[in-house]
Short mmCIF file of all heavy atoms in Angstrom, two decimals:
data_model
loop_
_atom_site.label_atom_id
_atom_site.label_comp_id
_atom_site.label_asym_id
_atom_site.label_seq_id
_atom_site.Cartn_x
_atom_site.Cartn_y
_atom_site.Cartn_z
N ASN A 89 -3.93 50.85 -29.33
CA ASN A 89 -3.12 52.05 -29.09
C ASN A 89 -3.53 52.81 -27.85
O ASN A 89 -2.70 53.21 -27.05
CB ASN A 89 -3.19 52.98 -30.31
CG ASN A 89 -2.22 52.58 -31.40
OD1 ASN A 89 -2.32 51.51 -31.97
ND2 ASN A 89 -1.26 53.44 -31.67
N CYS A 90 -4.83 53.05 -27.69
CA CYS A 90 -5.24 54.00 -26.65
C CYS A 90 -6.56 53.61 -26.01
O CYS A 90 -7.39 52.93 -26.61
CB CYS A 90 -5.37 55.41 -27.23
SG CYS A 90 -3.82 56.06 -27.88
N PHE A 91 -6.74 54.12 -24.78
CA PHE A 91 -7.92 53.84 -23.98
C PHE A 91 -8.43 55.13 -23.33
O PHE A 91 -7.69 56.11 -23.23
CB PHE A 91 -7.58 52.84 -22.87
CG PHE A 91 -7.05 51.52 -23.37
CD1 PHE A 91 -5.71 51.38 -23.71
CD2 PHE A 91 -7.88 50.43 -23.48
CE1 PHE A 91 -5.21 50.16 -24.16
CE2 PHE A 91 -7.39 49.20 -23.94
CZ PHE A 91 -6.06 49.07 -24.27
N VAL A 92 -9.67 55.08 -22.88
CA VAL A 92 -10.18 56.08 -21.93
C VAL A 92 -10.56 55.34 -20.67
O VAL A 92 -11.21 54.28 -20.74
CB VAL A 92 -11.37 56.86 -22.51
CG1 VAL A 92 -12.18 57.52 -21.39
CG2 VAL A 92 -10.90 57.92 -23.50
N GLN A 93 -10.14 55.85 -19.52
CA GLN A 93 -10.43 55.20 -18.26
C GLN A 93 -11.04 56.19 -17.27
O GLN A 93 -10.66 57.37 -17.25
CB GLN A 93 -9.16 54.55 -17.70
CG GLN A 93 -8.70 53.41 -18.59
CD GLN A 93 -7.48 52.67 -18.12
OE1 GLN A 93 -6.83 52.02 -18.92
NE2 GLN A 93 -7.15 52.74 -16.85
N PRO A 94 -11.98 55.72 -16.47
CA PRO A 94 -12.70 56.63 -15.56
C PRO A 94 -11.90 56.94 -14.31
O PRO A 94 -11.05 56.16 -13.88
CB PRO A 94 -13.96 55.82 -15.23
CG PRO A 94 -13.52 54.39 -15.30
CD PRO A 94 -12.51 54.34 -16.43
N VAL A 95 -12.20 58.09 -13.71
CA VAL A 95 -11.60 58.51 -12.44
C VAL A 95 -12.71 59.10 -11.58
O VAL A 95 -13.40 60.03 -12.02
CB VAL A 95 -10.49 59.56 -12.63
CG1 VAL A 95 -9.84 59.89 -11.28
CG2 VAL A 95 -9.44 59.09 -13.62
N GLY A 96 -12.90 58.55 -10.39
CA GLY A 96 -13.93 59.06 -9.49
C GLY A 96 -13.36 60.00 -8.45
O GLY A 96 -12.20 60.42 -8.50
N ASP A 97 -14.20 60.31 -7.44
CA ASP A 97 -13.83 61.30 -6.44
C ASP A 97 -13.33 60.67 -5.14
O ASP A 97 -12.72 61.34 -4.33
CB ASP A 97 -15.04 62.20 -6.14
CG ASP A 97 -14.69 63.36 -5.23
OD1 ASP A 97 -13.62 63.98 -5.46
OD2 ASP A 97 -15.45 63.64 -4.29
N SER A 98 -13.58 59.38 -4.94
CA SER A 98 -13.08 58.74 -3.72
C SER A 98 -11.58 58.52 -3.85
O SER A 98 -11.01 58.58 -4.94
CB SER A 98 -13.79 57.41 -3.50
OG SER A 98 -13.57 56.53 -4.57
N VAL A 99 -10.93 58.25 -2.75
CA VAL A 99 -9.48 58.05 -2.77
C VAL A 99 -9.14 56.67 -3.31
O VAL A 99 -8.27 56.52 -4.17
CB VAL A 99 -8.88 58.26 -1.37
CG1 VAL A 99 -7.39 57.93 -1.36
CG2 VAL A 99 -9.09 59.69 -0.91
N THR A 100 -9.82 55.65 -2.81
CA THR A 100 -9.61 54.28 -3.29
C THR A 100 -10.96 53.62 -3.51
O THR A 100 -12.01 54.22 -3.28
CB THR A 100 -8.79 53.46 -2.27
OG1 THR A 100 -9.50 53.44 -1.03
CG2 THR A 100 -7.41 54.03 -2.08
N GLY A 101 -10.94 52.36 -3.96
CA GLY A 101 -12.17 51.61 -4.14
C GLY A 101 -13.01 52.15 -5.28
O GLY A 101 -12.49 52.72 -6.25
N PHE A 102 -14.33 52.00 -5.16
CA PHE A 102 -15.25 52.47 -6.18
C PHE A 102 -16.39 53.24 -5.52
O PHE A 102 -16.83 52.90 -4.42
CB PHE A 102 -15.83 51.29 -6.97
CG PHE A 102 -14.86 50.68 -7.94
CD1 PHE A 102 -13.88 49.79 -7.51
CD2 PHE A 102 -14.90 51.01 -9.29
CE1 PHE A 102 -12.97 49.23 -8.39
CE2 PHE A 102 -13.98 50.46 -10.18
CZ PHE A 102 -13.02 49.57 -9.73
N GLU A 103 -16.85 54.28 -6.20
CA GLU A 103 -17.97 55.07 -5.72
C GLU A 103 -18.76 55.57 -6.91
O GLU A 103 -18.19 56.12 -7.86
CB GLU A 103 -17.46 56.26 -4.90
CG GLU A 103 -18.57 57.11 -4.29
CD GLU A 103 -18.00 58.25 -3.45
OE1 GLU A 103 -17.36 57.96 -2.43
OE2 GLU A 103 -18.20 59.43 -3.84
N ASP A 104 -20.08 55.33 -6.89
CA ASP A 104 -20.95 55.71 -8.01
C ASP A 104 -20.48 55.09 -9.32
O ASP A 104 -20.56 55.71 -10.39
CB ASP A 104 -21.02 57.24 -8.15
CG ASP A 104 -21.63 57.91 -6.94
OD1 ASP A 104 -22.49 57.28 -6.28
OD2 ASP A 104 -21.25 59.05 -6.63
N GLY A 105 -19.94 53.87 -9.23
CA GLY A 105 -19.49 53.17 -10.43
C GLY A 105 -18.14 53.61 -10.96
O GLY A 105 -17.68 53.09 -11.97
N LEU A 106 -17.49 54.56 -10.29
CA LEU A 106 -16.20 55.07 -10.74
C LEU A 106 -15.10 54.63 -9.79
O LEU A 106 -15.28 54.65 -8.56
CB LEU A 106 -16.22 56.60 -10.81
CG LEU A 106 -17.20 57.25 -11.79
CD1 LEU A 106 -17.16 58.76 -11.65
CD2 LEU A 106 -16.88 56.84 -13.22
N PRO A 107 -13.94 54.27 -10.32
CA PRO A 107 -12.84 53.90 -9.44
C PRO A 107 -12.29 55.12 -8.73
O PRO A 107 -12.23 56.21 -9.29
CB PRO A 107 -11.80 53.31 -10.40
CG PRO A 107 -12.07 53.98 -11.71
CD PRO A 107 -13.56 54.18 -11.75
N GLY A 108 -11.87 54.92 -7.47
CA GLY A 108 -11.23 56.00 -6.74
C GLY A 108 -9.93 56.43 -7.40
O GLY A 108 -9.39 55.75 -8.28
N ILE A 109 -9.40 57.55 -6.95
CA ILE A 109 -8.26 58.17 -7.62
C ILE A 109 -7.07 57.23 -7.67
O ILE A 109 -6.44 57.04 -8.72
CB ILE A 109 -7.90 59.49 -6.93
CG1 ILE A 109 -9.06 60.49 -7.09
CG2 ILE A 109 -6.61 60.07 -7.49
CD1 ILE A 109 -8.99 61.69 -6.17
N TYR A 110 -6.72 56.62 -6.53
CA TYR A 110 -5.55 55.75 -6.52
C TYR A 110 -5.83 54.41 -7.19
O TYR A 110 -4.91 53.79 -7.75
CB TYR A 110 -5.04 55.57 -5.09
CG TYR A 110 -4.32 56.79 -4.58
CD1 TYR A 110 -5.01 57.82 -3.94
CD2 TYR A 110 -2.96 56.95 -4.78
CE1 TYR A 110 -4.36 58.96 -3.50
CE2 TYR A 110 -2.29 58.08 -4.34
CZ TYR A 110 -2.99 59.09 -3.70
OH TYR A 110 -2.34 60.22 -3.27
N THR A 111 -7.08 53.96 -7.16
CA THR A 111 -7.44 52.77 -7.92
C THR A 111 -7.29 53.05 -9.42
O THR A 111 -6.73 52.24 -10.16
CB THR A 111 -8.89 52.35 -7.61
OG1 THR A 111 -9.02 52.12 -6.20
CG2 THR A 111 -9.27 51.09 -8.36
N ALA A 112 -7.78 54.22 -9.86
CA ALA A 112 -7.65 54.61 -11.27
C ALA A 112 -6.19 54.77 -11.66
O ALA A 112 -5.78 54.43 -12.78
CB ALA A 112 -8.41 55.91 -11.53
N LEU A 113 -5.39 55.29 -10.73
CA LEU A 113 -3.96 55.46 -11.00
C LEU A 113 -3.29 54.10 -11.25
O LEU A 113 -2.49 53.94 -12.17
CB LEU A 113 -3.30 56.17 -9.82
CG LEU A 113 -1.81 56.48 -9.94
CD1 LEU A 113 -1.55 57.49 -11.05
CD2 LEU A 113 -1.26 57.01 -8.62
N ALA A 114 -3.64 53.11 -10.44
CA ALA A 114 -3.07 51.77 -10.61
C ALA A 114 -3.54 51.16 -11.93
O ALA A 114 -2.76 50.51 -12.64
CB ALA A 114 -3.46 50.88 -9.45
N GLU A 115 -4.81 51.35 -12.29
CA GLU A 115 -5.32 50.83 -13.56
C GLU A 115 -4.60 51.49 -14.74
O GLU A 115 -4.26 50.81 -15.73
CB GLU A 115 -6.83 51.08 -13.65
CG GLU A 115 -7.64 50.25 -12.68
CD GLU A 115 -9.14 50.51 -12.79
OE1 GLU A 115 -9.52 51.54 -13.42
OE2 GLU A 115 -9.93 49.71 -12.27
N ALA A 116 -4.38 52.79 -14.64
CA ALA A 116 -3.69 53.49 -15.73
C ALA A 116 -2.26 53.01 -15.87
O ALA A 116 -1.75 52.83 -16.98
CB ALA A 116 -3.73 55.00 -15.48
N ALA A 117 -1.59 52.78 -14.74
CA ALA A 117 -0.20 52.31 -14.80
C ALA A 117 -0.13 50.94 -15.47
O ALA A 117 0.78 50.69 -16.27
CB ALA A 117 0.38 52.23 -13.38
N GLU A 118 -1.08 50.07 -15.18
CA GLU A 118 -1.08 48.76 -15.81
C GLU A 118 -1.35 48.88 -17.31
O GLU A 118 -0.71 48.19 -18.13
CB GLU A 118 -2.15 47.86 -15.16
CG GLU A 118 -2.28 46.48 -15.76
CD GLU A 118 -1.01 45.62 -15.59
OE1 GLU A 118 -0.12 46.01 -14.80
OE2 GLU A 118 -0.91 44.58 -16.26
N THR A 119 -2.25 49.76 -17.69
CA THR A 119 -2.55 49.96 -19.11
C THR A 119 -1.33 50.48 -19.86
O THR A 119 -0.98 50.00 -20.94
CB THR A 119 -3.73 50.92 -19.27
OG1 THR A 119 -4.88 50.36 -18.64
CG2 THR A 119 -4.04 51.17 -20.74
#
Side-chain angles (χ1 to χ4, degrees):
N89 277 64
C90 298
F91 301 82
V92 160
Q93 294 181 201
V95 183
D97 187 43
S98 61
V99 175
T100 59
F102 286 80
E103 183 178 295
D104 297 330
L106 298 175
I109 295 165
Y110 285 89
T111 303
L113 182 66
E115 291 180 345
E118 178 64 13
T119 299

